[in-house]
Amino acid sequence: MIRLSFKNIIRKKSRALLIFILSVVSAFNIFTQIAQKNSVQNSLRTLITEAISGQYIIYDSEKNINVLESQFSDVNLFEWYSKDSTKLLEENPNIKNIGRRLRFGGLLSYGDESMGIHFQALSQSHLQRVSTILDFKAGSQPINKDQIMLSETFADELEANVGDTLVVLANNRDGYLSDNLLRVSGIFKTKGPSQFLLPIGFINYKKGMEILRLEDHEAMELLVNYHALENTEKGANDLKNQVSGINSRLKIADWEKSAPLLNSIVSVWVNAGHAIKTIFIVFSVLILVNIIIMMTNNRKKEIGTLLAFGFKPLTIISTIALEYIVLISSGILLTGVFLKLTFDLFLQSGIPIPSEELQAAYLSTSIFPKIYWLEILKVALLFAMACYLAVLVSLRKLFRSEITTLLRTTA
């Protein structure tokens, strides 16, 4: 059966080439759309887990935390020492990093202009990770304790530039007003993912402690990121059990719960991406299935000959289906492997999006196309199943005809 299928592929080169080319074109359209969906999804999740929420947040509060709305007064300070972080890392090797964060509201002033702002005080390493997500108009992330990083929109409203000194007013833990000075170290462009960071000013963690009058052992939030970006129920339960062994009062929220608005945006993109991918696949499958049915119906004489030689109907169906499955699967797999290697080897730095309108649509300044091996295999398997069903449907009626009728056909 396999030998006969390959002989037919070699013997009917024009037919084989047509099916192969159609499968390559279909696969290219499907995989490029999947790569775009994965790019937007990964960019948003990276933004949420690094700059907004953290993959998991450890906190102490009776309320459900929402990082875009909650304030310093909505959570309780808790004790957390460096040895606690070390213990957690030892118990859970899947954790990539554990970082402290302070979030609080304040007033930022420059000259005659003043604006309310949400501060995020992060460690130096975390500030570096956040800066890699952003596209800077000028300057860079805060390097020392007395610097701040602002969005372009916020800086324009204050009419401030890199190097300018701003006045900060914020309520500290004792309820008194703290005043400080911060120098602008960097201004990031407000486009792509950074459009969600408009009202946030990023400062050094030590400076946040100074403004809020906190001690070294006091913490407001701990951000936990794993080596793998995906959240799992087991990972959340394991982390909860391990943290409970250190402090039973602490709660844990994953980024889907701590940033519900952004999670909804991710869900919309993912669902829309699945819908578009499904449309591409269905459209491509219908084209290929119709061509396969047409070609199979024109092989009556060949089918009659096989029946005359004693081949069973199921064997004939499998033999003819195997031809199309080999051609289509090879076209899909070759296209998928070629695109994956191209994306992974040459496009890791991303494809810049020139239009600001497209940047807003893609929620990124660049596209980082990504395809996974499992996605390639799933598409190939789906097309293979469609091929077999197409041959089964088209030959079911032919087997009801007399062998002599099939042999007399000129097709």
Side-chain angles (χ1 to χ4, degrees):
M1 181 181 73
I2 297 176
R3 184 182 301 173
L4 181 59
S5 297
F6 280 95
K7 282 184 178 180
N8 285 334
I9 291 174
I10 297 172
R11 185 165 54 87
K12 298 289 186 178
K13 293 184 176 65
S14 58
R15 181 176 68 196
L17 184 61
L18 174 61
I19 294 293
F20 181 80
I21 291 175
L22 284 173
S23 66
V24 169
V25 173
S26 299
F28 183 85
N29 290 329
I30 292 169
F31 289 138
T32 51
Q33 191 282 322
I34 291 175
Q36 291 181 60
K37 174 186 73 72
N38 290 339
S39 173
V40 175
Q41 183 177 335
N42 292 338
S43 294
L44 272 174
R45 287 185 174 178
T46 301
L47 171 77
I48 294 171
T49 56
E50 291 292 359
I52 295 179
S53 173
Q55 199 166 348
Y56 295 100
I57 297 181
I58 301 174
Y59 66 103
D60 181 8
S61 175
E62 297 301 323
K63 303 177 182 178
N64 292 327
I65 195 168
N66 184 329
V67 297
L68 294 180
E69 297 178 1
S70 59
Q71 294 292 322
F72 180 69
S73 58
D74 295 328
V75 296
N76 302 315
L77 296 175
F78 58 91
E79 291 187 351
W80 190 268
Y81 299 90
S82 58
K83 62 181 179 61
D84 296 325
S85 295
T86 303
K87 180 181 178 182
L88 192 57
L89 288 169
E90 290 175 349
E91 293 181 352
N92 199 330
N94 294 322
I95 294 177
K96 184 178 180 180
N97 50 64
I98 303 172
R100 296 172 181 244
R101 181 178 67 179
L102 300 174
R103 289 185 301 109
F104 57 97
L107 189 68
L108 205 58
S109 302
Y110 179 70
D112 296 329
E113 298 293 332
S114 296
M115 292 185 67
I117 190 170
H118 298 288
F119 289 101
Q120 282 203 26
L122 305 171
S123 66
Q124 195 63 47
S125 61
H126 198 161
L127 286 170
Q128 174 61 37
R129 297 202 305 274
V130 173
S131 69
T132 59
I133 304 171
L134 306 175
D135 184 12
F136 280 87
K137 175 184 177 181
S140 63
Q141 80 276 7
I143 303 299
N144 60 53
K145 192 176 74 170
D146 297 321
Q147 292 182 331
I148 185 172
M149 178 171 67
L150 299 172
S151 69
E152 180 180 12
T153 301
F154 204 95
D156 287 345
E157 290 291 333
L158 286 177
E159 299 181 356
N161 297 304
V162 171
D164 291 340
T165 299
L166 311 180
V167 177
V168 177
L169 296 176
N171 286 325
N172 58 38
R173 60 173 300 172
D174 300 319
Y176 298 111
L177 199 63
S178 294
D179 61 304
N180 270 268
L181 299 178
L182 290 172
R183 187 179 297 274
V184 180
S185 69
I187 298 174
F188 56 88
K189 295 181 180 178
T190 311
K191 57 183 180 179
S194 59
Q195 62 189 288
F196 299 107
L197 307 177
L198 290 184
I200 298 176
F202 294 96
I203 62 176
N204 188 280
Y205 187 82
K206 294 290 185 182
K207 190 63 177 181
M209 288 179 57
E210 179 183 316
I211 294 173
L212 296 177
R213 301 290 191 265
L214 301 186
E215 302 294 334
D216 289 340
H217 66 277
E218 293 178 312
M220 173 188 175
E221 293 174 348
L222 297 174
L223 305 186
V224 178
N225 285 348
Y226 281 59
H227 290 285
L229 191 59
E230 296 293 336
N231 290 350
T232 63
E233 186 176 349
K234 183 179 183 302
N237 290 334
D238 289 345
L239 182 62
K240 184 176 181 179
N241 292 334
Q242 291 154 1
V243 170
S244 295
I246 300 172
N247 187 333
S248 59
R249 282 181 52 85
L250 299 181
K251 294 184 178 181
I252 295 173
D254 60 31
W255 65 268
E256 295 175 347
K257 295 177 181 177
S258 61
L261 173 62
L262 295 180
N263 180 49
S264 298
I265 295 173
V266 172
S267 298
V268 168
W269 253 103
V270 172
N271 293 332
H274 286 316
I276 295 172
K277 178 184 69 175
T278 302
I279 292 171
F280 272 107
I281 291 176
V282 170
F283 183 72
S284 300
V285 166
L286 287 175
I287 292 175
L288 285 169
V289 163
N290 279 287
I291 291 175
I292 288 171
I293 291 175
M294 181 184 68
M295 288 182 172
T296 304
N297 286 331
N298 289 331
R299 299 172 68 173
K300 296 178 182 179
K301 188 172 183 179
E302 178 186 345
I303 293 168
T305 302
L306 292 174
L307 288 171
F309 275 100
F311 283 84
K312 295 180 179 180
L314 184 59
T315 302
I316 297 173
I317 291 174
S318 300
T319 301
I320 294 176
L322 183 61
E323 295 178 33
Y324 300 128
I325 290 173
V326 168
L327 290 170
I328 291 175
S329 296
S330 60
I332 291 174
L333 291 173
L334 285 173
T335 305
V337 170
F338 171 77
L339 289 175
K340 178 170 177 56
L341 293 177
T342 301
F343 296 155
D344 292 349
L345 296 177
F346 303 107
L347 298 178
Q348 284 294 300
S349 57
I351 305 172
I353 302 175
S355 168
E356 291 191 3
E357 289 76 12
L358 283 176
Q359 289 175 2
Y362 280 98
L363 302 175
S364 178
T365 56
S366 298
I367 295 176
F368 300 89
K370 185 72 176 178
I371 303 178
Y372 301 100
W373 292 114
L374 186 59
E375 293 173 327
I376 297 173
L377 293 176
K378 283 182 177 179
V379 172
L381 179 61
L382 181 61
F383 272 81
M385 293 171 59
C387 287
Y388 192 89
L389 290 174
V391 174
L392 180 64
V393 169
S394 60
L395 292 186
R396 187 177 59 179
K397 294 181 180 180
L398 292 181
F399 288 132
R400 298 173 184 171
S401 305
E402 295 291 335
I403 295 177
T404 53
T405 303
L406 295 172
L407 291 173
R408 284 198 298 268
T409 185
T410 57

